[in-house]
Amino acid sequence: MEPNALKAAISAGLLSFPVTDFDAGGAFEPNGYRRRLEWLMPYGASALFAAGGTGEFFSLAPDEYAAVIRTAVETCRGRVPIIAGTGYGTRQAIAYAREAERLGAAGLLIMPHYLVEADAEGISRHIAAICKSVKIGAIVYNRGVCRLGPDALEELAAECPNLIGFKDGIGDLELMVAIRRRMGDRFAYLGGLPTAEFFAAPYRAMGVPVYSSAVFNFIPKTAMDFYRAIAANDEATATRILDDFFMPYSKIRNRRPGYAVSIIKAGTRLVGQDAGPVRTPLMDCSDEEHRMLKALIDRMGPQ
């Protein structure tokens, strides 16, 4: 997909990160992953991120990464664009980016670099090197150790024509407004805070109408209903779903670090779309937490 075509595709609609399927022993399970994508595609996400944060990118070995991207591209070809995660140090990120392009991914999500802190110049060089290594479109993910402001992003946009998207996972509203005002329509803008539904309304007011939904993995109809309510300024529906699901859901998610991923896998298990366990250092939700989540899922009705 040409970069500007990807930009157009992700400038409206709901996005999501499918979890990655593992078997009981923790190995990648491609048949389950393929079935998962087939189940999710008809619900109407504009694009799906393979090997993203919710997909446990951090835990995948290089050969597994290739298998995940290959399976996603082959399954979704011609129906939903696949955006592949990439990250770690510059050389490894470039290797992943080139492999994703070779396998047919529509674009890249450049996730925060690994471990070390760096200033804006170093981070910019890292992102530019990744962008220049491929021809497909790329999205930079401002989160954690990757914190770029409007000056750095303006320079990167000029240097890298295929850098077509900006995803915010920091939540600094002043910074987000400054970036949006400076960059205008140069980027597609995505909300990327954990459980992005909490921030969907204020981000839309700032000119960031698109976000990625993790709960789309197990309550896809509800996730789409909520997105459409936000898009239509249907405050009554959005508030009802926030009160009935997301507020109590967040209390479970916040019980332990890493549950932002673990609770999604718990949800898939409860709706008959089991994706297997999470990989360490993450921990699976407890039996009690599964029961609590099931009550919330049942409240949302058939999906």
Side-chain angles (χ1 to χ4, degrees):
M1 180 178 282
E2 191 271 331
N4 282 326
L6 178 64
K7 177 185 172 184
I10 64 172
S11 291
L14 187 67
L15 312 177
S16 189
F17 289 79
V19 294
T20 300
D21 288 70
F22 302 133
D23 63 22
F28 174 53
E29 212 292 274
N31 292 329
Y33 189 54
R34 190 174 293 110
R35 288 192 296 270
R36 179 169 319 286
L37 296 169
E38 291 282 4
W39 178 60
L40 291 174
M41 276 191 289
Y43 285 92
S46 299
L48 296 173
F49 294 87
T54 304
E56 297 178 74
F57 168 80
F58 70 89
S59 78
L60 298 174
D63 61 327
E64 293 177 313
Y65 174 85
V68 169
I69 303 304
R70 181 184 301 109
T71 302
V73 169
E74 290 176 353
T75 304
C76 299
R77 194 186 308 276
R79 292 185 283 177
V80 179
I82 293 296
I83 300 171
T86 189
Y88 298 115
T90 307
R91 291 191 177 190
Q92 183 63 65
I94 286 172
Y96 278 145
R98 287 174 171 166
E99 181 69 354
E101 181 177 51
R102 185 185 73 81
L103 293 169
L108 302 171
L109 177 65
I110 302 175
M111 292 190 288
H113 57 278
Y114 175 68
L115 188 60
V116 296
E117 294 183 357
D119 66 8
E121 182 180 1
I123 296 170
S124 295
R125 290 185 181 185
H126 166 76
I127 292 167
I130 298 167
C131 289
K132 291 176 180 179
S133 73
V134 296
K135 295 180 180 179
I136 55 177
I139 303 160
V140 60
Y141 194 1
N142 238 30
R143 182 171 175 175
V145 294
C146 180
R147 185 185 179 99
L148 295 176
D151 291 344
L153 289 167
E154 187 173 42
E155 291 177 4
L156 275 169
E159 186 178 359
C160 306
N162 64 329
L163 182 62
I164 52 84
F166 175 82
K167 182 173 184 177
D168 181 59
I170 292 176
D172 182 332
L173 301 189
E174 183 177 346
L175 178 62
M176 186 66 243
V177 170
I179 291 168
R180 186 66 179 86
R181 297 304 302 158
R182 175 76 68 84
M183 300 307 301
D185 294 333
R186 173 61 179 80
F187 291 146
Y189 298 91
L190 317 177
L193 288 159
T195 313
E197 283 82 359
F198 280 114
F199 310 95
Y203 267 58
R204 183 174 182 82
M206 290 190 296
V208 184
V210 177
Y211 60 90
S212 53
S213 173
V215 301
F216 185 85
N217 275 280
F218 62 92
I219 49 168
K221 177 182 178 297
T222 298
M224 291 299 303
D225 288 346
F226 184 85
Y227 169 78
R228 291 179 181 125
I230 293 293
N233 293 315
D234 180 356
E235 186 175 348
T237 298
T239 300
R240 174 180 57 79
I241 298 173
L242 281 171
D243 288 343
D244 290 351
F245 181 82
F246 286 108
M247 295 300 292
Y249 168 87
S250 71
K251 292 181 178 179
I252 306 171
R253 182 203 64 195
N254 292 338
R255 282 185 158 202
R256 184 181 291 201
Y259 265 13
V261 176
S262 304
I263 196 171
I264 302 304
K265 281 209 160 175
T268 65
R269 194 169 298 123
L270 290 167
V271 300
Q273 300 287 338
D274 191 359
V278 294
R279 285 178 170 176
T280 52
L282 301 183
M283 295 291 292
D284 283 302
C285 294
S286 68
D287 290 344
E288 177 194 12
E289 289 156 349
H290 276 78
R291 289 192 292 271
M292 295 167 67
L293 182 59
K294 184 178 186 304
L296 297 179
I297 293 171
D298 290 346
R299 188 183 298 174
M300 292 299 98
Q303 297 295 306

